[in-house]
Each structure stands twice: as C-alpha cells, then as structure tokens.
Amino acid sequence: MLDSSDVIALIQYTSKGDFRASAKILTIYKGQLKTGDEIYISGFSNRYGPIDKMSKGDKYLVFLNFNQPDEKRIEYWNEELKTKPELKEYVEAYKNNKAYYVWSPTSGDLKIKGKTVQYDLVQTSFYGKQNYYSLSEFESFLIAYYNKSKTADFCNNLISNIKPATESDLNSQNLMKLSLLGYNQYDNIFENYVKVNNPSSKYALAQLMGHIKSVESRNILIALLGDKHSIVQGEVVRQLKNEQAEIVAPILLKHLKTSSDANFGPSNIMDPVMNRIDGGKVEIIKTLGELKYKPAIPDLLLLLDTDNDDLFKLVIEALKNIGSKEYIPYINNHLDKKTHDLIFEISMMIAEDSLVECLPSFKNFISTCDRNRHPNYEYAISTCCGIGHFNDSATVAFLLLDYKHFFTYKDTLESSKQKYWTRKYIETFTDLKVKEARPLIYKSIYDWFGLNEDFGKNPKLFEVKKQLEDSIKTVFANSLEKKGYKLNYCIAYIKNTADIEKGNKPIAKYLIEVSIPTTEKGNEHQEIISNELNLNKEGIFLRYENGWYHIEKQDRFDKSISSTPIYNFLSYAKAVPNPSDFIFLQGLLNNNFIIDDYYQKRVREAIDEIKTSLNK
C-alpha cells in the first residue's frame, strides 16, 4: 500500500456513512491532494460484512486509490440517482474526480484516537484488539519513506529504540519499519531478537535480514528456521531462497521433517481477509523444487503418502520442478486405494501432464469407484480434466465399454448421480466426436424420457406414448385421486417401439410420482398405489404433503430439460451430424414434447445446423 496508493493522508470525516462518506484532508503524505480538500471515500465496508459506520468527526489515516470515472459507471450512478437521491453528493464527487476508495474493508484505513493511530505493519489487515501507537512516530515513518534524505536518521533512531531486545509489540513495529525502509546495515542487537518469544518480532526480523544479505544475517535466518512458529519459518525460507542454493538447500532439507505445516489465510469463503501466508513446510517444499535440489527427492516422495490434496499437489509440483517423475507410482497407489480427497487433483494431473503411465490405474478407478459418492467423480471421464483428454482408440474403446456397462447398474444410483454421469458421457463423446456413442446416447434419452430413435421414424409413437400415460391418469383420477392422492408425473416407456408400426400392441412400463395425504407410512401407500394401478412398486415415487420425498427424489420428473440427455444430445448431434437426429429432434417439436420457448429455439438451431453440415 505504501508504494501503490494514489493518496496517503490524515483525514476527518465530514459526514456519516456505512459504505461511503465525505472527508476533509488534514495532512497529506503522498499524492496530489492538498490540505483542506474535500473528497468522498468508499470501500471501508463490505456488503456482506464487516460494515464500518463512519461518523462525522472521525479521524483516520488512509491509504487511498483514485476512483477513475468512466462513461459506463457514470451511466450506472445516474440510474441509481433516480431511486436513491441521497447519493447526489457522492455521484457529483465521482464525476469531478473527487472520489477515492480504501484498499479493502479490513485494510487501508487506520483509526486515530487522540494522538495515537491503530495499525500493525506485520499484519496489515485489521483484527480485534489491534494496538494503538504514536501518531507522530508513524508520520515520521511516512516522511522517511517518501523523503530519502530523512531515511538514514530515522533508521538510526529506530535502531536505538529497539535496544534492548524485548517482547514489546512496539519493537515488532520498529523492526518492520526498518525492513520497509530497506535498512541494510547489520547490528549486533538483531541476534538478541532470535531469542524473544514474540513471533511478530521474529517475522519482521526475518524480512529485515533478507535486506542485509551478510553472513551474519544469513546465520540469523538459519537460526530462525528452527523457530516453533510456522509464520516465522515461512518468512525465513522466503528470504533464504535468495541465498546460494548449495548452502541453503541442504539446510532446508534438514528442517523439512520438523517444519510446521500450518498456513495462514481466510477461515471461510466469507472471510474478508483473503490473504494467504504459507508456513514453514509449504515454503521449504516449494523452495526445494525451485532450487532443483535432487537430494530432496526421497524425502519429498515420503510426503505423498497423504490425503491432503494441497500437500499432495505441492509436493508433485516440487518434484516436477526438480525433474523427477518418481511420483507416478504414488498417483497409481492412491487411485488403487481410491483416496477420495485426492482424486480430483490426480485426475487433473493425469490430463494436464498426459500421464499415460497412470491410465491402467485410472481406468480401474473409473470402472470401480462409488458413483453415489459426493462430491461426484464424473469429471474423471471429461476431456478437460479426465481420461477424455486421451483420444487414442484404446481410451475411446474403454469409454464406450464403460458407458455400456453403466446401464447395468445405473438404477442402483441416485437419479441425480445418474444424470451427472450421463451428462458427462455425452459431453465427452461430443468433444471427441465419437460416432459409435450414438446408440448409447439414445439409450440414455430413452432411459430418461421413454423416447428413442424410433420416435423419429414413426411419429405415431408420440401419440401412443401419450395415450398410455393418459390411461394411467384416467385410472388414477377415478380411484386414488378421490382418496386424496395426487398424480404429479407419469412417464410411459414403450418396450417394443420397433413393433408398433407393424400393428403390435405396446408393452410398457411406467414411472410415476404421487403426492400422498400424509407424512408417514410411505411403504404402505406405495403398496396401495401399486395394487390400484397394477404397477411395479419400483416405478412409484412418493412425495409427502409437507413436500418431503419418500426415500428419494426422482430427477426424471423435473419439468425442464436442462442438463438432461436430450439437452446434452443437441451438442452431440451438431458435432456428429446424422440424418436420423434431426428427424428425431423435429419430431420432438412437431409433437409438442418440448414446450418451453427457450429450449424450442435451441432445438430448432440444432436442426438447422445439422442440415447445414449434412448438405456441405
């Protein structure tokens, strides 16, 4: 922030505000503004928290970025003014180059209390119970930073102030000021700070020693490498990596086993403090890789026996930097063991690095993994980050066989998992333009909707299918509906579609969803419905009156075709055009199977594109 901020100033707010407020410049340390200038400041509050309420009279030392006006933003603010006239002053300031923003809701504005200012140069993001220090001392630091003629004297004063070495937080700040000012003279007092317990002081000391670059400073860094605080270890390694590899690499390797694996970063996705600082172990692993230190390979390989995906990826990157592929057996071992937390990273690695050595184990994992597991593994067959990346004939043959085998056990999966895997099969065969997948894709469409290629050849099947479904609805209305049941969905699956044109009677099975007038005894109601409609219980799905589902929700009853085999088929049909496909798709439109305007348009576009491709 010291170098990148457009303006650094002491300000006093002249209005109140949760997200933006006007302020007057009291003292300017950097930038083109002058004392007395009025500006608007924003960015000190996050929409989702934290929200800092600025009050008139509040004083802050702020690090600001200029909010450059542009036509689109001016247009946006003019629209906002129509419903929020209270924004008029801010919008005018924005248009007139008087609007600025702090770096983040947790950094860039230091609160003033009397003659003190609240800050921490070691951890710039705000945290609870952050200390206040002398405002005049901090102002002197800023002056020394921007006026090099003042730097030497100020640094000499800081050296005096840090003697003797104590646990004082003020000393931590002074050490950090020396580092930020680029101080590069060694003083014997620095060695005493190795022994203090305050991790902030030792973290700042490590940064400072990196500037000095002497034998004495390197020895201090090596001594700090054994510190118990991971944040100190990490900073030491970041400074040591600039030393000669033949000196520091053996030392880093020696400390690898005892280094801390703690890192520092956001606690959750809503944490406004998104910075991450890597600790000792992470930095050592990265640095050993960057230094290409081959003697580290055996120790790094031992770290691959983990289920920590971040560590696993980090170690493999280090080994790759060194030039070793000895990690391949470890990848295969985790595939064989089905180490759940590593599978996504492994899948990505195999695809990105074309690790053909891993294909046998990868294929075995895909064929035998638990497809009901959450998160899903369907990415493992994709072209972007899975085995679909390999387009050789053997891999395509494996994918076709795996898709065919999928139909033998799909009904043991939750319907949502069936949909995810089916979608990924179709997407992969679309990307690879595999003509041989067409019959299997139509099989998926039939499995989901009761439609197949015969519906394109014999449009009468649409009518027969509707009649079968209507017959169930009629029987239901005359019996179960009068008892409080409600038929929500009914899908008829004609088993002998090819024989209907010959005049044969349709043989069908059904899937139905029924709402029942209770919140319990689902099995008993399933039995009642089965007997009344003469349907297999496996095809009857129940929903209680409170909206909950008995056993599971059946995704085949969703009204939208989004993410279903038919919608995924549109891309496949365009990529691998075939006359039967546009006949089938035209049948869907002609028989009002797809009623949503958006999806009707997508189908028409697919039909036109298929025809164009076939006529070339």
Side-chain angles (χ1 to χ4, degrees):
M1 289 190 292
L2 287 166
D3 294 327
S4 302
S5 296
D6 295 313
V7 170
I8 301 176
L10 178 66
I11 60 97
Q12 184 172 36
Y13 282 104
T14 55
S15 71
K16 64 179 181 179
D18 291 350
F19 295 96
R20 60 192 65 85
S22 60
K24 178 188 290 187
I25 303 293
L26 300 179
T27 306
I28 187 77
Y29 309 107
K30 179 187 177 185
Q32 300 303 313
L33 295 177
K34 301 185 298 295
T35 299
D37 282 350
E38 288 271 357
I39 61 173
Y40 253 88
I41 299 174
S42 61
F44 47 76
S45 289
N46 190 317
R47 180 179 177 184
Y48 302 104
I51 295 177
D52 290 334
K53 296 180 181 291
M54 297 303 171
S55 300
K56 185 176 180 180
D58 286 348
K59 292 182 181 180
Y60 282 81
L61 199 156
V62 292
F63 296 75
L64 301 175
N65 294 300
F66 176 52
N67 200 346
Q68 177 72 51
D70 62 61
E71 291 184 9
K72 287 186 177 181
R73 295 297 296 171
I74 290 174
E75 183 179 341
Y76 166 81
W77 285 117
N78 286 336
E79 285 297 313
E80 287 289 288
L81 279 176
K82 294 177 181 179
T83 56
K84 300 175 182 176
E86 67 274 12
L87 293 174
K88 182 179 179 180
E89 288 187 12
Y90 173 74
V91 175
E92 287 302 313
Y94 174 71
K95 293 178 180 178
N96 291 298
N97 299 319
K98 294 292 185 181
Y100 293 80
Y101 60 93
V102 298
W103 283 85
S104 78
T106 58
S107 63
D109 55 344
L110 312 180
K111 191 170 185 177
I112 304 297
K113 186 168 68 174
K115 296 182 179 181
T116 61
V117 58
Q118 189 178 38
Y119 69 90
D120 187 344
L121 294 175
V122 177
Q123 181 178 334
T124 55
S125 294
F126 177 79
Y127 55 88
K129 297 182 180 179
Q130 198 172 59
N131 288 330
Y132 285 84
Y133 302 99
S134 168
L135 173 59
S136 62
E137 178 72 14
F138 193 77
E139 288 180 311
S140 296
F141 162 68
L142 292 175
I143 292 170
Y145 190 87
Y146 296 113
N147 185 345
K148 298 306 178 185
S149 67
K150 306 281 187 180
T151 304
D153 287 342
F154 185 75
C155 287
N156 289 333
N157 288 333
L158 287 175
I159 291 293
S160 297
N161 291 338
I162 63 172
K163 297 177 180 178
T166 69
E167 302 293 339
S168 166
D169 288 327
L170 177 59
N171 282 353
S172 301
Q173 303 308 310
N174 288 335
L175 285 166
M176 201 67 205
K177 288 171 188 172
L178 285 168
S179 175
L180 291 169
L181 290 167
Y183 188 72
N184 59 8
Q185 301 297 312
Y186 185 79
D187 191 287
N188 290 332
I189 188 61
F190 298 144
E191 186 176 350
N192 296 340
Y193 275 95
V194 175
K195 304 171 186 176
V196 302
N197 293 317
N198 191 328
S200 293
S201 291
K202 289 185 280 191
Y203 177 84
L205 179 65
Q207 286 202 5
L208 180 56
M209 293 303 99
H211 291 302
I212 295 175
K213 299 185 185 306
S214 66
V215 173
E216 293 87 354
S217 64
R218 185 176 67 208
N219 289 338
I220 286 180
L221 288 171
I222 293 171
L224 286 172
L225 193 57
D227 190 78
K228 66 180 180 180
H229 299 99
S230 186
I231 191 170
V232 176
Q233 295 175 16
E235 187 56 37
V236 168
V237 179
R238 285 187 286 274
Q239 300 303 327
L240 279 175
K241 72 170 59 176
N242 299 315
E243 299 282 349
Q244 298 175 33
E246 60 269 22
I247 295 175
V248 301
I251 296 170
L252 294 179
L253 180 58
K254 181 181 177 181
H255 282 83
L256 176 60
K257 291 181 181 179
T258 57
S259 59
S260 171
D261 55 9
N263 299 307
F264 305 87
S267 57
N268 57 66
I269 195 171
M270 294 305 294
D271 191 334
V273 182
M274 298 306 292
N275 298 334
R276 174 189 165 104
I277 302 177
D278 290 327
K281 188 177 292 293
V282 168
E283 286 293 346
I284 289 176
I285 293 169
K286 286 196 299 186
T287 302
L288 288 172
E290 292 168 7
L291 297 177
K292 303 185 185 305
Y293 189 57
K294 291 185 181 296
I297 291 175
D299 291 88
L300 290 173
L301 288 172
L302 292 176
L303 296 176
L304 293 176
D305 188 17
T306 179
D307 61 359
N308 183 308
D309 57 338
D310 287 334
L311 177 61
F312 189 79
K313 182 180 179 181
L314 177 71
V315 173
I316 286 186
E317 284 300 315
L319 289 165
K320 286 163 60 177
N321 286 336
I322 294 172
S324 170
K325 292 190 75 172
E326 294 176 55
Y327 54 83
I328 295 294
Y330 291 85
I331 290 179
N332 290 335
N333 184 45
H334 281 297
L335 286 169
D336 294 340
K337 293 193 303 182
K338 298 179 174 58
T339 309
H340 174 69
D341 292 336
L342 300 184
I343 299 302
F344 179 73
E345 288 296 342
I346 286 175
S347 184
M348 289 283 290
M349 290 175 189
I350 293 174
E352 289 178 354
D353 298 336
S354 298
L355 300 178
V356 294
E357 305 95 325
C358 298
L359 287 181
S361 290
F362 199 20
K363 290 176 182 178
N364 178 65
F365 171 81
I366 292 169
S367 299
T368 60
C369 67
D370 179 3
R371 298 198 175 189
N372 261 329
R373 184 76 184 258
H374 181 80
N376 307 304
Y377 294 127
E378 80 275 5
Y379 54 78
I381 62 173
S382 70
T383 54
C384 68
C385 52
I387 200 169
H389 167 80
F390 302 87
N391 57 6
D392 59 282
S393 59
T395 300
V396 171
F398 163 77
L399 284 167
L400 286 168
L401 184 63
D402 190 69
Y403 191 12
K404 184 178 181 180
H405 179 60
F406 173 73
F407 290 99
T408 66
Y409 63 84
K410 63 175 179 59
D411 290 333
T412 66
L413 307 178
E414 299 170 13
S415 60
S416 62
K417 303 298 191 298
Q418 295 178 41
K419 182 167 68 174
Y420 298 148
W421 279 93
T422 299
R423 178 178 64 193
K424 197 57 65 178
Y425 278 122
I426 299 174
E427 288 177 354
T428 297
F429 289 122
T430 299
D431 292 342
L432 298 178
K433 293 182 171 56
V434 179
K435 296 180 180 179
E436 295 83 358
R438 179 172 276 103
L440 294 171
I441 295 174
Y442 270 109
K443 192 172 182 178
S444 286
I445 294 173
Y446 176 82
D447 176 61
W448 212 257
F449 297 101
L451 305 171
N452 59 19
E453 282 181 288
D454 292 336
F455 281 74
K457 302 171 187 175
N458 181 15
K460 181 182 176 182
L461 284 168
F462 284 99
E463 181 181 344
V464 173
K465 175 176 166 66
K466 187 175 184 305
Q467 289 173 350
L468 291 169
E469 291 166 351
D470 287 345
S471 66
I472 293 293
K473 294 175 184 178
T474 299
V475 174
F476 190 95
N478 292 331
S479 55
L480 293 167
E481 190 172 298
K482 295 177 180 180
K483 300 176 183 179
Y485 296 88
K486 179 184 176 183
L487 181 62
N488 300 325
Y489 299 98
C490 177
I491 303 175
Y493 294 82
I494 303 172
K495 297 181 179 180
N496 57 337
T497 54
D499 299 330
I500 301 302
E501 195 171 14
K502 302 173 185 177
N504 292 350
K505 184 178 179 180
I507 302 171
K509 69 172 185 176
Y510 300 86
L511 285 185
I512 65 172
E513 181 187 276
V514 177
S515 290
I516 59 177
T518 183
T519 58
E520 57 184 14
K521 298 182 179 179
N523 290 334
E524 294 181 16
H525 289 280
Q526 198 174 41
E527 188 77 35
I528 293 170
I529 296 167
S530 174
N531 293 334
E532 193 71 41
L533 300 179
N534 194 28
L535 299 179
N536 290 329
K537 288 189 291 184
E538 292 76 14
I540 300 171
F541 294 83
L542 303 182
R543 191 171 189 179
Y544 295 115
E545 61 183 0
N546 60 5
W548 292 8
Y549 292 90
H550 173 63
I551 300 179
E552 71 164 310
K553 176 182 181 291
Q554 175 53 259
D555 278 19
R556 286 171 175 80
F557 298 134
D558 286 346
K559 293 181 180 179
S560 172
I561 67 166
S562 175
S563 299
T564 66
I566 279 184
Y567 189 70
N568 302 137
F569 176 66
L570 297 180
S571 296
Y572 177 84
K574 291 186 291 184
V576 191
N578 185 285
S580 65
D581 294 342
F582 77 74
I583 294 173
F584 171 74
L585 293 173
Q586 190 64 57
L588 298 181
L589 294 177
N590 294 343
N591 292 275
N592 297 316
F593 183 82
I594 298 175
I595 57 177
D596 182 275
D597 290 343
Y598 172 81
Y599 293 112
Q600 284 183 350
K601 182 181 179 181
R602 298 283 81 79
V603 173
R604 291 192 190 96
E605 290 173 350
I607 292 172
D608 292 342
E609 192 168 329
I610 295 168
K611 288 181 177 178
T612 300
S613 298
L614 292 173
N615 291 331
K616 287 182 179 179

